[in-house]
């Protein structure tokens, strides 16, 4: 036999306990979680089939129906980050060889494309310059040309700060027998979204944006049409079958076990078939995120994001920064601004973090080094966070050599608040 | 156009905040999380590229090197439950058509088989009756017959309460150029495991067993040989590429994006390429779980599980219950006992939960209705939890009509503790 690796195990002194410094997270997410959500996570655990647990699961489903504005029975959590929810929807709805149309107007459109490709789909992409959105007519034309099984698109793409209008496309999809999937990770809770009203068949989200929680749980909802597709491809896990001829494997089996929405539905549904071990603390967090939104009311939450987002826009403009992207389709919860000529964007971001403990966002791909992204969302969609960020940014810009009028950012935001009052 | 679904959105009164009752979770997991782990989760968030965050990520990697007993650079967390880590390892290491050998001796062997099948592998299964393990010679014979790319097996299978000996098989695999993957979800921290010493190429775990945390984060470690396989199949996400000809897609692309260990490695490694948004609160939990184990020492933690597990065995035997499974290979942290003839196992479990707020486990597949599984692990591997469970179970058994000698369970456990003192 060959010699085994005999390198000694690590014997480093254990690290100290975590003790994170206080930050004000004003980037495109994650943002500071609502303290009530963080506290919910430190509640003690219960067993995964404890009646208390199944009751919390049912409440969570009902709460997310409110958040997604749907009556979909199939409303649940996928245990992973928002990206896990995206992949669960796509890999469960798309069989290898299925045609998928992906309109790409930012980074997360590319992600949908990539996930659909890996799921074996025949992916057709239409692209738009980052910062713009598709007119519905372009989507309709592409639907008619490609005739896909699924139209997969991002609602609000934080990489470009704009949101694709979705109000009309659901009806077009239904008429053509096309399933409509929307990634609402960055938009849900801070921008109007009406799953049933708009005819969306599958939507997935995350907690770390307007829902005011930490990343790590992905709320998902499926229409009855979508559930039908998933169920046709589903099978019961081998280790759970008492007899081997019970529930034989589907012919067109979903490629993932972990992200198989058919099995996850059986776990959340009345059969309660064991799948993963539910991430209880993240479920507590997701429950509290949705509960706080439901308590506030979805319209009020959207209005709050619109107000504070517009105050941030006014303030950043007041500081002389040029707004990025199609302002008619700006997301309420994230603002893109061009980095002023001649300054080092990353150095300025680092100074803001070092001196004021405030984080704003960098950007990806074609926008890298060109724009900053400033988030106003979830727990941080507040007046004090907007004004504090603007005051701090004014100092950082001036130190970097950018000519700014003293108080111009905060002043413009205050005017916006006065107008709205 | 067809009419959209106009069912009204749900308008239910928001649920109250969660307020779980106190339980003593003595099943096969999840178990009560250590309060220090729960408190770590309520720490405030930092940005995902904050220097504090990358420092916590590096500490977490180092801590899990201690827990896995490895020097593997590629030691990290997958954001999902233990099952996400299993699928990440298999889908990243196995290309469609690759031969995979899966020895099955319980439910989780069936799970490995199923995940490998869905990854497109040519899966070869050898089976053993639930409650037994494979002699190494049987594994070697199967390796020589199948000549697989990967040998995938469960270390401790909670469904049967026994652990497969792994000390010798790593060397056999290396000699034959076979990769060795071990699912150590249920065993790590409570049973001896030596990743480097045993020549294991990939191991994945969860927090909800001997690590004393909640489900929702999966520690994973890969040997350099395993990393080589993963890197060959990896590519940079489209939305992150500045030029389209930078890092073109690998020919043999990993089928999942979310569970692509190549991309996850680039996120945890020096390039820090954005992938998912790290589940910060779960990372805090995982950090604290490993920190507490490292502080205790891995040998001491295993000895603690062995002591309290053996006291539970003594106590359950004292109550007249017959032990299930090959006792020479019993896991330290979970005990299987046959449900006494003539009583309703589920009713007894329900009574234990209702009257004493104590949960013990049911079982799956061929063992359903035949055995209970009693966990002694993580935060609950303690003298008081063992004695309390035995005292309560005595009452429940007597009420159900099982003849038990008063104090026989607690007494036998106390004797075991006295012997060990």
């Amino acid at each position: 036999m060959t010699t085994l690796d005999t390198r000694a195990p690590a014997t480093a002194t254990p690290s100290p306990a975590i003790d994170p410094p206080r930050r004000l997270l004003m980037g495109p997410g994650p943002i500071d979680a609502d303290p009530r959500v963080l506290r919910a996570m430190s509640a003690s655990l219960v067993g995964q089939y404890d009646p208390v647990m199944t009751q919390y699961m049912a409440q969570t489903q009902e709460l997310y129906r409110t958040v997604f504005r749907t009556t979909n029975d199939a409303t649940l959590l996928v245990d992973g980050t928002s990206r896990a929810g995206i992949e669960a929807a796509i890999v469960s709805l798309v069989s290898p060889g299925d045609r998928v149309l992906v309109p790409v107007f930012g980074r997360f459109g590319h992600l949908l494309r990539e996930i659909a490709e890996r799921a074996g789909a025949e992916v057709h992409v239409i692209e738009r310059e980052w910062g713009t959105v598709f007119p519905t007519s372009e989507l309709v034309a592409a639907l008619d040309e490609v005739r896909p099984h699924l139209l997969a698109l991002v609602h609000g793409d934080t990489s470009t700060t704009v949101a694709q209008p979705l109000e009309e496309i659901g009806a077009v999809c239904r008429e053509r027998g096309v399933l409509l999937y929307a990634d609402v990770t960055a938009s849900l809770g801070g921008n109007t979204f009406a799953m049933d009203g708009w005819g969306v068949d599958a939507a997935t989200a995350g907690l770390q944006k307007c829902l005011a929680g930490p990343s790590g749980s992905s709320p998902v909802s499926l229409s009855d049409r979508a559930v039908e597709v998933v169920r046709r491809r589903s099978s019961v896990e081998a280790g759970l079958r008492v007899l081997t001829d019970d529930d034989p494997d589907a012919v067109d089996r979903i490629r993932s076990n972990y992200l198989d929405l058919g099995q996850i539905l059986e776990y959340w549904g009345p059969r309660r078939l064991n799948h993963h071990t539910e991430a209880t603390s993240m479920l507590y967090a997701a429950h509290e995120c949705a509960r706080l939104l439901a308590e506030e009311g979805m319209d009020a939450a959207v209005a709050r994001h619109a107000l504070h987002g517009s105050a941030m826009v006014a303030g950043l403009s007041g500081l002389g920064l040029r707004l990025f992207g199609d302002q008619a389709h700006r997301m309420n919860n994230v603002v893109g601004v061009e980095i002023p000529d001649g300054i080092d964007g990353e150095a300025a971001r680092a100074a803001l973090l070092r001196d004021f403990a405030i984080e704003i966002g960098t950007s990806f791909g074609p926008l890298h080094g060109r724009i900053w992204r400033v988030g106003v969302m979830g727990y941080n969609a507040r007046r004090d966070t907007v004004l504090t960020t603007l005051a701090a940014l004014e100092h950082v810009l001036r130190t970097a050599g950018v000519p700014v009028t003293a108080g111009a950012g905060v002043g413009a935001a205050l005017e916006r608040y006065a107008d709205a009052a």
Side-chain angles (χ1 to χ4, degrees), chain A:
Chain A
M1 292 191 188
T2 53
T3 309
L4 284 180
D5 191 340
T6 54
R7 290 178 293 180
T11 54
T13 316
S15 306
I18 58 142
D19 183 23
R22 209 73 182 79
R23 300 297 199 211
L24 177 57
L25 302 177
M26 300 297 282
I31 49 90
D32 300 79
D34 191 306
R36 291 169 289 185
V37 175
L38 295 178
R39 283 197 300 268
M41 276 193 291
S42 58
S44 61
L45 304 185
V46 294
Q48 67 175 329
Y49 292 104
D50 192 304
V52 171
M53 181 67 178
T54 48
Q55 184 195 348
Y56 288 160
M57 289 173 78
Q59 288 175 357
T60 301
Q61 296 186 279
E62 190 57 20
L63 285 165
Y64 278 96
R65 288 184 192 111
T66 302
V67 173
F68 281 115
R69 301 199 186 210
T70 185
T71 58
N72 287 336
D73 187 54
T75 302
L76 44 74
L77 303 177
V78 167
D79 283 7
T81 71
S82 42
R83 179 177 292 234
I86 296 171
E87 187 162 320
I90 292 178
V91 81
S92 298
L93 290 173
V94 173
S95 302
D98 277 349
R99 270 195 302 277
V100 176
L101 175 63
V102 184
V104 173
F105 58 99
R107 176 185 171 200
F108 293 101
H110 282 293
L111 178 63
L112 301 189
R113 185 194 86 180
E114 172 163 337
I115 291 174
E117 281 173 5
R118 294 200 196 202
E122 180 190 314
V123 181
H124 296 255
V125 168
I126 52 175
E127 284 200 62
R128 270 250 161 203
E129 196 188 344
W130 289 30
T132 70
V133 298
F134 292 87
T136 300
S137 60
E138 272 186 35
L139 298 178
V140 175
L143 280 172
D144 286 337
E145 199 193 314
V146 174
R147 301 156 76 83
H149 165 68
L150 178 76
L151 170 63
L153 39 64
V154 173
H155 184 207
D157 196 318
T158 47
S159 71
T160 71
T161 75
V162 298
Q164 174 64 43
L166 293 181
E167 294 86 333
E168 297 167 7
I169 198 67
V172 178
C173 285
R174 295 248 160 150
E175 205 173 44
R176 286 157 180 75
V178 175
L179 288 171
L180 173 60
Y181 162 69
D183 168 11
V184 299
T185 303
S187 55
L188 191 68
N191 303 267
T192 299
F193 178 72
M195 181 139 195
D196 289 357
W198 296 356
V200 177
D201 291 299
T204 68
L207 306 186
Q208 74 276 15
K209 310 276 185 183
C210 304
L211 271 62
S215 173
S217 178
S218 178
V220 172
S221 187
L222 298 180
S223 71
D224 294 347
R225 296 202 310 157
V227 168
E228 213 175 283
V229 173
V230 169
R231 287 225 193 274
R232 227 179 330 184
R233 306 181 62 207
S234 210
S235 54
V236 169
E237 202 175 294
L240 297 182
R241 295 180 209 157
V242 178
L243 301 167
T244 47
D245 57 354
D246 172 32
D247 281 310
D249 293 336
V251 179
D252 172 26
R253 202 177 192 187
I254 292 169
R255 277 190 170 186
S256 171
N257 168 290
Y258 188 65
L259 301 173
D260 178 340
L261 287 177
Q263 291 195 350
I264 298 172
L265 273 168
E266 291 288 16
Y267 176 53
W268 285 79
R271 282 178 89 183
R272 296 264 173 227
L273 280 186
N274 192 252
H275 182 251
H276 59 284
T277 296
E278 184 58 18
T280 316
S281 304
M282 285 308 308
L283 178 131
Y284 291 173
H287 183 286
E288 184 67 2
C289 288
R291 198 184 69 80
L292 295 174
L293 272 178
E295 199 174 71
E296 179 178 12
M298 296 309 294
D299 289 333
V302 171
R304 171 168 53 86
H305 283 84
L307 171 64
H308 298 294
S310 69
M312 184 63 90
V313 165
L316 293 169
S317 300
L319 287 172
L321 297 172
R322 202 156 38 209
L323 300 169
F324 171 80
D326 175 359
Q327 293 303 301
H329 296 102
R330 189 177 60 72
M331 295 167 72
N332 287 330
N333 54 308
V334 57
V335 184
V337 286
E338 294 180 14
I339 298 167
D341 285 340
I343 81 160
D344 177 341
E346 287 306 289
R349 287 204 321 124
L352 196 62
L353 186 66
R354 183 194 61 223
D355 293 339
F356 298 93
I358 297 175
E359 183 182 272
I360 62 171
T362 181
S363 45
F364 301 111
L367 300 180
H368 188 72
R370 279 185 53 202
I371 72 165
W372 289 316
R373 294 173 301 148
V374 184
V376 184
M377 62 182 105
Y379 183 63
N380 286 350
R382 304 195 312 265
R383 192 170 179 275
D384 63 299
T385 56
V386 169
L387 299 179
T388 304
T389 303
L390 290 167
L393 189 57
E394 178 185 325
H395 284 277
V396 168
L397 288 172
R398 187 175 297 117
T399 306
V402 180
V404 278
T405 310
V410 170
L414 284 172
E415 266 178 50
R416 173 73 191 89
Y417 284 122
D419 288 348

